[in-house]
Amino acid sequence: MPSYTAPTKDLQFVLHNLLNVTKSDIPGYDELEPDFTSAILEEAGKLTSSVLAPLNAVGDKEGCRLENGVVYTPTGFKEAFEQVKEGGWTGLDMPEQYGGQNMPAVMGSAVGEMFSASNQAFTMYQGLTHGAASAILAHGTDAQKDTYLPNMVSCEWTGTMNLTEPHCGTDLGMMRTKAEPQDDGSYKITGQKIFISSGEHDMAGNIIHLVLAKITGGPEGIKGVSLFIVPKFLVNDDGSLGDRNGVTVGKIEEKMGIHGNSTCVMNYDGATGFLLGEEHKGMRAMFTMMNEARLGVGMQGLAQADVAYQNALDYAKDRLQGRAVTGAENPDGPADPLIVHPDIRRSLMDQKSFVEGARAFILWGASLIDAAHRADDKAADGLVSLLTPVIKGFLTDQGYDMTIKAQQVYGGHGYIEEWGMSQFTRDARIAQIYEGANGVQALDLVGRKLAQDGGKHVMAFFEMVKNFIKDNAGQDEAFDKDFLDPLKAASKDLQAAGMYFMQNGMKNPNHALSGSNDFMHMFGHVCLGLMWARMGKASMDALTEGASDAAFYETKLATGRYYMARQLPATALHLTRIQSGADTVMALDAANF
Amino acid sequence: MPSYTAPTKDLQFVLHNLLNVTKSDIPGYDELEPDFTSAILEEAGKLTSSVLAPLNAVGDKEGCRLENGVVYTPTGFKEAFEQVKEGGWTGLDMPEQYGGQNMPAVMGSAVGEMFSASNQAFTMYQGLTHGAASAILAHGTDAQKDTYLPNMVSCEWTGTMNLTEPHCGTDLGMMRTKAEPQDDGSYKITGQKIFISSGEHDMAGNIIHLVLAKITGGPEGIKGVSLFIVPKFLVNDDGSLGDRNGVTVGKIEEKMGIHGNSTCVMNYDGATGFLLGEEHKGMRAMFTMMNEARLGVGMQGLAQADVAYQNALDYAKDRLQGRAVTGAENPDGPADPLIVHPDIRRSLMDQKSFVEGARAFILWGASLIDAAHRADDKAADGLVSLLTPVIKGFLTDQGYDMTIKAQQVYGGHGYIEEWGMSQFTRDARIAQIYEGANGVQALDLVGRKLAQDGGKHVMAFFEMVKNFIKDNAGQDEAFDKDFLDPLKAASKDLQAAGMYFMQNGMKNPNHALSGSNDFMHMFGHVCLGLMWARMGKASMDALTEGASDAAFYETKLATGRYYMARQLPATALHLTRIQSGADTVMALDAANF
């Protein structure tokens, strides 16, 4: 059975060496002293590795069970959920007013990675709740906040998001779920929603569904969509639970993975709902939840890649098979460990350099969110908005590929469920699909985010890369060659791609959209390249300052060199594809496929 | 539920327009007239699409069941197997002497693709039998052939191959299974084998296990390995079944996919075995089976990609979601079909151009085998030996990626088992692992095949590409630009990579082996590039000759242009990685990972 070790040390490196959180002027960051963050990460590490990780395989094997309208979660989930709640982990970055601990998003993300890595299906119960609570926090009335948030922050009640219907997912303008206004200001919600994660289960006293629906008589299409709070149990004025609402689970979907999470078909039969935010502005309200969810899903890509990598690494050190081509390294044993073989190393280095780069990328993104929310930094807000589809799309595509590489290290044993590597790939697969399939992320990036605010956010990004290179060049020849030159080349590729879109997308938008997936990936590589260059610099600084754990920083530099030499050059291929334009992509009539 | 349509027309194109089989002087090819091959492919198409494909999901859902030592295959498998046997499909390319139809391998492959695509798990029962029969054909005594082959060719009896043990897969020198010589010339086989596909089941009267074991007192390591025939039921002199042999199934493995195939742990407890081939030369004999199996596995990569693509295409034409950015294409409907969106097209074109290119590659490979076996063509034999790891490794890696792309087209529905797309990915995944994991294929290619016979086969390959370009350049400007120039560039990249290995691999073999995976992939791309250039030429010729179905050939050209513009340039990235050498790959001590 696979195991999970929380990457506490690496998270500390990102927080303190890379992001220098205590030196930031973002409100709240001054409290993030190394001892303090270390204590939190250590505690989260214990809980996730010793309680949640052992339940991961249980959840996969047992799945959720629907009996007479009641959904039963896998053995041990309920008890573990109690432990998570008791530890106060569910409200880490929520306002104190509602029972949270008001920590910055960067800490929520650091801890969140551990939760996702140890047990993605389990963590989704609290993850969806967090998203729903954020939407109520941003768009709810004070009364709504008081009614729902305390119990949601503590996860006594959990939350869901209800968007998809059988005939529409991405194109929500076609939705059919109706909301009929009632005299008391509430609405009657009727319709069917599918793919509802954590839709119904036995771990919470109440479930607060956020449901997109069309108010009868409202505008056609997406402009007529509003967001509603539909609690499983109505809440009385005194906060106690009232009547059971008209929402029921139709069935649990049989999925490829994340079996421990109950993915439900939810039927709303005149259920009582309360408008959240403004009429017909449901998409805006839902996007508060979706943007947070997208960053969380990007993190799932990293998280599954990390736990899969950890186990592949153990296996590669343990399993004896063949001899190093340069001479036996374990001459007294019957064979050398797998890790001596160059192709196994290549795979492990792909994984390691991705995981550590992605971790930095995610926490940097979270720090931008903190800057935007806590310091009202408009530039940070624009930048993280630009990066959100990259974080979601690139990290989940790459994260999935990395779980596949990790599984491959196991050879035949990787294909046997008992060894647990299959689950990592099957669980990771959903992250490329939900919260906007990755094609939609690429479309969002190229079709919307690039040109947002006159393109100023992408220009700011390029400026940032340029300045980093300028500020750090000429000090160390090897660093220039190993880190800065590749970053410069990759950034130039990305700019050339943007230029191609500008010059050709005007006359035919297909020239831009045919390259959207490649652009998202090359953008992701440049971000990881930037992270690695920064981490390389931070590691050199630590070594210069005589850090006690030199091997850690040397390893960081070596891993960065690998990424720069072997992964970052992918930007050139993406650019070639983009510059080939739409002609070959769009050549065929649909009938001729 | 997904469906399968046999690609009869495209197979005919490859056989007759590309390979020109009837004009070949390979013995037996003169019989492959278009009407004849069409009749066979049509019949195979009916059987696979109407009988085997509907059982694919059944096999996945039910799996195999072990009860009191008996393995039960999924509902319907037994009856379908009877139909396959009655149709004579199991001995298509086997000698008439043993009940086969003596057709060339190229026909066996064309039909085999359909079988694999419609139901991979089911087809493995006959696939393993074919491999075992081939090994007996190549290495057995006349008495052994007469005893086993007639029933194996008809699949009254099925076969298996037993290599892996719990502690060794790739490194078979460590195997522990023992063979003790008996006075009557037989051996007593004792040991445990794992991952035995079709190891035990209820569809055959007897199961002929080919088992690798070490004769007691023989040489250490791989040089002491011999191959044995170990029938489930011993066969009496009159051909009737005798005693039950000492081989039993320990358990059925729970796997990620191919649930319809019984993957067994097999226990040999003093089972009677008969030496196949020479003492201590078991690996040589096993390789007859393995090489055939590797080509078959490469075909599985193509086959799953094709069936997944077919269904993704249907879904993309069917599912209404969003509007074309260039204006509604289905203005009377609530939305446009998915296929209008450039990123969906990109994905579909990736799949289509891979599938058709891979189909040509596989059948070209099969025609080389025919040339080697039927016309004793040493050059063809050397070339297909070189290409075998490429066919296995590249086509299964890419084939898997394509099933993932196909699944992605379905959005959330792709993740729900009911829709069947998950099964294609889960089934396809094994092909990257078994019959030598793809890392082993890359090692075989770079460490062994490249330099084989003084490197003359790889040089012959380059010469072939060069000659094709020379012979066809300068006739059509667009063809030169769209097809020949990209092929030339890619082939140059591949040569540069080979040169890098030669110059650097001598002083440190890790410089070559760190690039082995990239080399395998770039070799695969050049092969598909060559196939597309040839198919482009063949299509232009057909159009010049006024072929009636112009749209088919125009589509072929458009698909080829896509591959050349968007996929083939990957060789440059692989070259960059290869030329970065082993330094970043091997930098870390194992302890510092």
Side-chain angles (χ1 to χ4, degrees), chain B residues 65-76:
Chain B
R65 189 165 44 88
L66 172 64
E67 270 177 31
N68 301 322
V70 180
V71 172
Y72 298 91
T73 50
T75 308

Side-chain angles (χ1 to χ4, degrees), chain A residues 279-423:
Chain A
E279 260 189 9
H280 312 318
K281 300 225 165 128
M283 287 312 291
R284 208 179 125 241
M286 193 50 111
F287 261 104
T288 304
M289 198 165 166
M290 292 251 279
N291 276 331
E292 178 183 310
R294 286 175 177 184
L295 296 172
V297 172
M299 188 165 66
Q300 290 176 343
L302 151 66
Q304 291 306 301
D306 185 34
V307 66
Y309 162 66
Q310 289 184 16
N311 286 280
L313 176 60
D314 286 348
Y315 191 81
K317 288 179 176 177
D318 212 51
R319 173 87 169 173
L320 304 180
Q321 208 80 181
R323 288 292 183 190
V325 66
T326 45
E329 297 199 6
N330 176 33
D332 299 335
D336 288 341
L338 284 180
I339 198 168
V340 305
H341 302 298
D343 190 58
I344 295 285
R345 284 210 172 227
R346 170 199 60 80
S347 170
L348 292 172
M349 290 300 292
D350 279 348
Q351 297 168 55
K352 180 177 173 64
S353 64
F354 168 76
V355 163
E356 296 177 14
R359 179 172 293 134
F361 188 22
I362 288 274
L363 292 194
W364 176 48
S367 74
L368 292 173
I369 289 177
D370 284 328
H373 291 182
R374 292 175 170 246
D376 203 25
D377 180 338
K378 295 271 181 278
D381 195 42
L383 186 55
V384 77
S385 163
L386 172 71
L387 295 179
T388 296
V390 180
I391 290 175
K392 197 284 185 181
F394 175 71
L395 294 188
T396 61
D397 277 354
Q398 290 268 314
Y400 179 73
D401 287 349
M402 296 302 156
T403 63
I404 289 290
K405 288 183 194 210
Q407 182 189 31
Q408 189 74 17
V409 171
Y410 277 67
H413 297 92
Y415 201 65
I416 306 296
E417 290 294 352
E418 186 186 344
W419 289 77
M421 300 305 285
S422 161
Q423 185 187 355

Side-chain angles (χ1 to χ4, degrees), chain A residues 167-215:
Chain A
H167 62 289
C168 70
T170 301
D171 191 353
L172 290 168
M174 294 197 286
M175 81 170 46
R176 293 177 191 149
T177 298
K178 290 274 167 240
E180 286 175 78
Q182 306 296 304
D183 292 343
D184 63 358
S186 73
Y187 294 78
K188 290 285 176 212
I189 312 289
T190 302
Q192 187 178 65
K193 295 287 182 178
I194 64 171
F195 304 159
I196 309 309
S197 299
S198 322
E200 175 61 45
H201 59 87
D202 57 356
M203 303 200 297
N206 200 1
I207 299 178
I208 311 305
H209 302 287
L210 297 196
V211 183
L212 285 180
K214 285 183 173 171
I215 297 172

Side-chain angles (χ1 to χ4, degrees), chain B residues 261-376:
Chain B
N261 195 273
S262 56
T263 306
C264 299
V265 173
M266 301 302 297
N267 295 320
Y268 294 87
D269 301 304
T272 299
F274 308 98
L275 186 68
L276 178 61
E278 295 175 53
E279 260 189 8
H280 313 319
K281 301 224 165 129
M283 288 310 291
R284 210 180 125 239
M286 192 50 111
F287 261 104
T288 304
M289 199 162 164
M290 291 250 281
N291 276 330
E292 177 183 312
R294 286 175 177 182
L295 296 171
V297 172
M299 188 165 66
Q300 290 175 344
L302 150 66
Q304 291 305 302
D306 185 33
V307 67
Y309 162 66
Q310 290 184 15
N311 286 280
L313 176 61
D314 285 349
Y315 191 80
K317 288 179 177 176
D318 213 51
R319 173 88 169 171
L320 303 180
Q321 210 79 181
R323 288 291 183 192
V325 67
T326 45
E329 297 199 7
N330 176 33
D332 299 334
D336 288 342
L338 283 180
I339 198 168
V340 306
H341 302 299
D343 190 58
I344 296 285
R345 284 207 173 231
R346 170 198 60 81
S347 170
L348 292 172
M349 290 300 292
D350 279 348
Q351 296 168 54
K352 181 177 172 63
S353 64
F354 168 75
V355 163
E356 296 178 14
R359 178 172 293 136
F361 188 22
I362 288 273
L363 293 194
W364 176 49
S367 75
L368 291 173
I369 289 177
D370 283 328
H373 291 183
R374 294 176 169 246
D376 203 26

Side-chain angles (χ1 to χ4, degrees), chain A residues 450-461:
Chain A
L450 264 191
Q452 211 168 35
D453 299 324
K456 94 175 165 193
H457 306 303
V458 72
M459 285 187 283
F461 176 83

